[in-house]
Structures are given as structure tokens and as C-alpha cells.
């Protein structure tokens, strides 16, 4: 995907529905415009790019165009799984990337599940000892999988492997090429439709990050629009199921999406306690460099 030219408008990168539903609803219902915002929405390829779907994911080490977007600030603000954006914010200085700071705890809390085939002889998480679990490296599926599995196995026995998109992971499980896979909606629902067994699942909170060029007032307006969208989604998610089913390329009907797994809340400030807990966890797993502080990683400009 070509990187879009820097625009005078604030740009919001959109990856997928499970991460971005409040953004999609706020965009399509005109909530951003009600706040007086004129935004540019940029789509980035993600885990189902084979279906030519709109995803939002900015990550290091995967898909160079998205990486450049993170480095040069062309997509902002950037929502990401809480541990992932922590890693990127902390390492921006040490790797010579454009600096970003965490500006909020995001609105979407995606559910991840570790699934196995219906024929599998694995019936509980600890039976995955030393067996590779398909994840996306340095991403929400890996981070959340580690958080789930560390309650059952010592870190050295939690093995991960990169199979590719979530569809490819499910196909690999189905075909016996890998013992298990970590996926999120709508792919958990696809896994259930295929008869797969869920071993463990958990929600993963997300963070918002932005560069210094996005002022606190604009961020606050963005977050208010998302909060308004959250109110609609939490009352009844059914009008928005089409965002998810479209991503599966016809593998899932609207009635087959397990909407009870969707969880959203209004964006909120990123607290010092949350930073310390998350950052210390990433250092424990050797996912990022030590020495970061709340002050040089988090900026609550939208809440001041």
C-alpha cells in the first residue's frame, strides 16, 4: 500500500472493526463532524488483506508502509493494543523514530481466543506446553496470548509462531499444521462455525498515541465523538455487525457473529498505575528496553 501524502487535516488510520468500531460508527454517523472536525480516514492493510479489506494496524517489523506511517506521523492518532503502543512509544527515541506519546486508553477492547481443532487432544491451556501457537509477532494476538498463557505455563514453555493472517491461522489449525492459534472477532466466530474448540479467551484493552502536532483540544473532540459512538454500540451492536462480517469475505453471516464478545467504553486518561503495570510486564518479557518513565511516554493533553 502506498503511503498517503501528509495532509493539513488530522488523519486517522483505520484497520479493522474489532479495533475501530467506535471510529467507524462516529465517522459514518457524522459524530466527528458534529464536533467540528474535518478528518481524513486512511485505511491500512491488516490481517485479512487477502480479501482487500480495510484494517488499521501500525506495527514495527510488519508491512513496511504501516511502519513508515508510524515513523513519520502520517497516521494520527494511532490506536493499538495497549502493550504494542507502549513498546512503540518507549522505543521511538532509541530507534530514531518519530516520537509519539500515549494520549488515552482507547474505546475498543478486543477479545482474543486461543483455539484448537475439534479433533485436537489438547483440552486445557497447559497442554500447549512447548507447542507453537500461531500469533502475529509484536502485536495484540501475541501480547494477549502471553498474558493468558503465563497463568498456566512458565515463560520458556510458551511458544509462538507467525502463520500470517487470522484466516491463515485458522486454516493451519484446521489442517493440522499448528496446534493452536490466537484470533479475535470476527475470526473467533468463524472458528466456532468451523467447529473449533476455544481453550481460553480474554479482552485486550487498547491505547491511543499521537505526535506533538495533534493538540489536546482536537484529541478531546475525537474522543468525545468516539464516546458517543460507544453509547450506541453498547445499547445495541446489531446495526453494526456488517462491519465485521464484511471482513470475513463471506465466511460469516450476520447472525453468526457472537456480539456478546464486543466490549467498548469511552476513551479515558492513561494513568500512571496502568503505565507502570504494563511497562514492567513488557520489560519482564524482554519486549522493550528498560528505563522509560511515565513522563516521557504518556501525555494527557486531551484531559487537561
Amino acid at each position: 500500500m502506498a503511503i498517503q501524502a501528509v495532509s493539513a487535516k488530522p488523519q486517522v488510520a483505520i484497520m479493522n472493526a474489532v479495533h475501530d468500531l467506535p471510529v467507524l460508527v462516529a465517522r459514518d454517523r457524522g459524530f466527528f463532524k458534529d464536533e467540528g472536525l474535518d478528518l481524513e480516514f486512511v485505511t491500512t492493510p491488516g490481517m485479512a488483506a487477502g480479501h482487500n479489506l480495510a484494517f488499521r494496524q501500525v506495527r514495527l517489523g510488519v508491512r513496511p508502509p504501516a511502519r513508515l506511517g508510524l515513523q513519520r506521523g502520517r497516521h494520527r492518532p494511532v490506536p493499538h493494543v495497549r502493550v504494542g503502543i507502549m513498546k512503540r512509544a518507549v522505543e521511538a527515541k532509541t530507534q530514531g523514530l518519530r516520537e509519539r506519546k500515549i494520549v488515552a486508553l482507547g474505546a475498543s477492547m478486543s477479545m482474543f481466543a486461543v483455539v484448537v481443532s475439534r479433533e485436537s487432544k489438547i483440552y486445557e491451556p497447559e497442554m500447549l506446553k512447548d507447542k507453537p501457537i500461531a500469533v502475529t509477532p509484536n502485536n495484540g494476538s501475541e501480547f494477549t496470548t502471553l498474558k493468558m498463557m503465563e497463568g498456566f505455563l512458565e515463560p520458556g514453555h510458551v511458544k509462538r509462531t507467525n502463520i500470517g493472517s487470522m484466516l491463515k491461522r485458522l486454516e493451519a489449525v484446521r489442517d493440522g499444521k499448528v496446534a493452536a492459534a490466537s484470533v479475535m472477532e470476527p475470526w473467533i466466530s468463524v472458528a466456532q462455525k468451523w467447529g473449533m474448540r476455544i481453550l481460553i479467551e480474554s479482552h485486550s484493552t487498547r491505547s491511543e498515541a499521537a505526535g506533538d502536532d495533534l493538540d489536546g483540544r482536537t484529541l478531546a473532540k475525537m474522543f468525545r465523538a468516539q464516546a458517543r459512538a460507544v453509547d450506541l454500540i453498547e445499547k445495541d451492536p446489531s446495526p453494526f455487525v456488517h462491519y465485521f462480517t464484511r471482513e470475513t469475505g463471506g465466511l460469516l453471516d450476520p447472525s453468526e457473529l457472537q456480539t456478546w464478545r464486543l466490549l467498548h467504553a469511552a476513551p479515558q486518561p492513561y494513568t500512571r498505575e496502568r503505565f507502570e503495570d504494563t511497562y514492567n510486564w513488557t520489560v519482564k518479557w524482554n519486549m522493550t528496553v528498560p528505563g522509560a518513565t511515565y513522563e516521557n511516554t504518556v501525555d494527557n493533553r486531551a484531559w487537561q
Side-chain angles (χ1 to χ4, degrees):
M1 185 191 83
I3 290 294
Q4 303 213 4
V6 174
S7 169
K9 301 178 182 179
Q11 294 179 322
V12 179
I14 298 175
M15 185 179 68
N16 56 23
V18 76
H19 298 148
D20 303 329
L21 188 57
V23 175
L24 293 168
V25 172
R27 179 197 66 186
D28 295 344
R29 294 295 179 97
F31 297 163
F32 289 120
K33 289 184 178 179
D34 290 347
E35 290 286 344
L37 295 172
D38 184 14
L39 305 176
E40 181 178 354
F41 297 90
V42 182
T43 59
T44 65
M47 291 159 291
H51 293 302
N52 296 318
L53 305 173
F55 278 79
R56 175 175 63 175
Q57 184 136 3
V58 180
R59 60 176 78 131
L60 297 179
V62 181
R63 297 180 183 87
R67 181 180 181 183
L68 290 176
L70 178 66
Q71 291 178 4
R72 298 177 184 175
R74 297 181 179 187
H75 300 158
R76 58 190 189 271
V78 177
H80 210 287
V81 68
R82 180 161 53 99
V83 177
I85 205 65
M86 172 73 70
K87 175 179 174 64
R88 288 148 183 77
V90 166
E91 294 179 354
K93 286 186 177 180
T94 61
Q95 295 186 1
L97 307 180
R98 182 180 181 277
E99 289 188 38
R100 287 181 178 273
K101 289 190 175 182
I102 298 171
V103 293
L105 188 66
S108 296
M109 289 164 273
S110 52
M111 177 78 85
F112 279 93
V114 176
V115 302
V116 297
S117 70
R118 74 173 78 193
E119 298 83 11
S120 174
K121 302 303 181 184
I122 296 172
Y123 302 105
E124 54 188 358
E126 50 264 51
M127 295 178 74
L128 284 171
K129 181 179 180 180
D130 296 327
K131 293 180 172 61
I133 304 168
V135 302
T136 301
N138 294 322
N139 204 276
S141 61
E142 182 177 30
F143 303 141
T144 309
T145 297
L146 292 176
K147 282 181 170 291
M148 291 189 286
M149 295 301 298
E150 69 181 350
F152 299 89
L153 295 171
E154 292 295 324
H157 293 295
V158 183
K159 306 299 182 183
R160 290 91 68 203
T161 185
N162 181 12
I163 298 295
S165 72
M166 295 207 176
L167 175 58
K168 290 185 180 300
R169 290 178 222 172
L170 292 183
E171 291 173 339
V173 170
R174 180 196 62 193
D175 299 339
K177 296 178 180 178
V178 67
S182 177
V183 295
M184 60 187 181
E185 289 293 7
W187 301 102
I188 303 175
S189 291
V190 172
Q192 290 185 295
K193 182 177 180 178
W194 289 2
M196 293 182 179
R197 190 184 324 124
I198 295 175
L199 291 185
I200 187 172
E201 53 190 317
S202 175
H203 279 103
S204 170
T205 56
R206 314 194 69 73
S207 301
E208 300 270 0
D212 292 338
D213 52 344
L214 205 56
D215 63 275
R217 184 181 177 189
T218 300
L219 282 171
K221 290 179 178 180
M222 289 181 173
F223 296 153
R224 283 198 299 268
Q226 289 185 51
R228 189 176 167 190
V230 164
D231 287 341
L232 279 184
I233 297 165
E234 287 298 294
K235 287 177 183 176
D236 181 14
S238 58
F240 313 112
V241 168
H242 64 93
Y243 291 108
F244 293 88
T245 56
R246 185 170 62 232
E247 293 177 359
T248 68
L251 293 176
L252 204 65
D253 294 329
S255 62
E256 295 170 323
L257 180 74
Q258 302 295 311
T259 57
W260 63 267
R261 285 196 179 93
L262 306 180
L263 180 61
H264 301 85
Q268 56 188 279
Y270 201 92
T271 66
R272 183 179 295 273
E273 180 180 16
R274 183 174 292 274
F275 166 80
E276 292 175 351
D277 289 345
T278 302
Y279 178 62
N280 291 336
W281 185 86
T282 64
V283 172
K284 180 188 77 171
W285 278 94
N286 296 317
M287 290 182 173
T288 191
V289 296
T293 66
Y294 180 78
E295 286 73 20
N296 64 26
T297 309
V298 179
D299 188 334
N300 284 317
R301 73 192 84 154
W303 315 100
Q304 297 169 354

